[in-house]
Each structure stands twice: as structure tokens, then as C-alpha cells.
Amino acid sequence: MIRGRKVYEPPQYMTVNQAIDQILKSMKEEDRDTRYLNEKTLCVGVARLGSSDQVIKAGTLGRLLTEDFGAPLHSLCIVGKLHALEADMLRHYAVDPDEIPLL
């Protein structure tokens, strides 16, 4: 913002797809170590959690980039080391269950 000049942008929510796109672009542009965070990183995208039309999808960053989550509010969770029970539950919400490791 320019000092002394108040400019108010209309409110805007970031979608899961926008978040993934920004993460992947920053990894490529900054030439960072991609061993831990790349297109094959497992994550969970959530939209309108707790409402009657909630959406929960699990998959890799590359896979969820093209998924439709509908209207806001969205959240993106990047998954770390999974317990076997957590992996089973993620498989239930997976876009492609083969992407979730068997533990």
C-alpha cells in the first residue's frame, strides 16, 4: 500500500487450488530442495467443513491442483508421517486410493 492512501480491496478467499499452485510455483522459482515438498507430497483439501455440503479430498499436491472444491471456505493440510489408522482414513477420502501408502 502507498502511505497515506487507503485502498480497500474486495474480500477474497484463497482456494485449495490457488494455495497448491502458489506452493508449487514457489518451489520451482526459488530452486528449493524438493525432497520433502513436491507434486507427490500427500495432502488433504477441505471445503466448508461441518456444513451439509462439505468436501474432503485427499491426494498428492499435483492431483488436488485440478480438483473442484466448490465455494469457500477452504483449508489445505500437508500430511507428514502417517499412522496406519490415519492412512486408512485418508484412503476413504482419496481421489486416487493408490496414492495413499499402505502401512
Side-chain angles (χ1 to χ4, degrees):
M1 285 180 82
I2 300 171
R3 288 185 182 211
R5 183 173 173 229
K6 295 181 181 180
V7 177
Y8 297 102
E9 298 288 332
Q12 194 173 8
Y13 297 106
M14 182 179 285
T15 66
V16 168
N17 309 86
Q18 289 170 331
I20 292 171
D21 187 48
Q22 287 185 15
I23 289 169
L24 294 176
K25 280 182 182 175
S26 73
M27 294 303 291
K28 289 176 185 173
E29 289 174 1
E30 309 255 338
D31 199 28
R32 297 188 182 187
D33 184 5
T34 58
R35 285 181 293 172
Y36 305 109
L37 188 61
N38 55 48
E39 288 187 7
K40 294 183 180 179
T41 301
L42 193 59
C43 59
V44 180
V46 180
R48 299 170 308 285
L49 189 62
S51 68
S52 60
D53 63 340
Q54 72 181 13
V55 175
I56 303 172
K57 295 182 182 182
T60 61
L61 284 171
R63 175 67 64 128
L64 293 184
L65 181 61
T66 59
E67 289 295 312
D68 181 24
F69 288 87
L73 295 169
H74 292 192
S75 295
L76 176 67
C77 302
I78 298 174
V79 177
K81 187 176 179 182
L82 290 172
H83 183 273
L85 188 60
E86 294 170 325
D88 287 342
M89 197 63 205
L90 281 184
R91 225 173 273 107
H92 177 73
Y93 292 108
V95 175
D96 181 5
D98 294 333
E99 292 178 341
I100 312 296
L102 294 171
L103 300 176

